[in-house]
Amino acid sequence: MIADHYRARRPTEEISDDWPQPVADEAEGISALAPCLGPMVAALPEPYREAVQLSEIEGVPQAIVAERLGVSLPAVKSRILRGRERLRGLVLASCSG
């Protein structure tokens, strides 16, 4: 095939080893950001603040968060999703300011 011919002729580059390494554990990355995000999480409206704090910052499983807050698991998932969206907006606003 013609495409195979051109793919075979495409020059390749070696990738250097000095690229940033990914965080080995996602929880490590989140906990490293927690001090920076703390004030932003505290600025979230109440329905989202506690759910995001427990789930995303403290690493509590969503089912346990639902029990602690006395709401259903789908409600907690919704609060976390909406809280993340609002938190994202706060982070982007602080970076562009």
Side-chain angles (χ1 to χ4, degrees):
M1 246 178 119
I2 295 174
D4 293 333
H5 170 75
Y6 284 104
R7 273 192 211 117
R9 294 185 55 195
R10 182 176 39 192
T12 58
E13 290 182 31
E14 298 243 352
I15 298 177
S16 68
D17 292 333
D18 62 345
W19 284 70
Q21 297 300 314
V23 176
D25 183 10
E26 185 178 318
E28 272 183 36
I30 291 172
S31 64
L33 288 175
C36 302
L37 294 177
M40 292 180 189
V41 171
L44 292 174
E46 179 51 45
Y48 313 118
R49 181 181 327 131
E50 195 168 7
V52 170
Q53 175 69 34
L54 289 170
S55 176
E56 301 302 315
I57 305 298
E58 297 178 21
V60 176
Q62 292 180 357
I64 305 294
V65 173
E67 287 177 22
R68 285 189 188 176
L69 299 179
V71 296
S72 67
L73 182 58
V76 165
K77 289 182 178 197
S78 176
R79 288 180 184 188
I80 292 169
L81 178 65
R82 290 181 180 150
R84 284 178 184 167
E85 290 170 355
R86 288 183 180 231
L87 188 59
R88 179 178 183 258
L90 291 171
V91 169
L92 291 175
S94 72
C95 292
S96 66

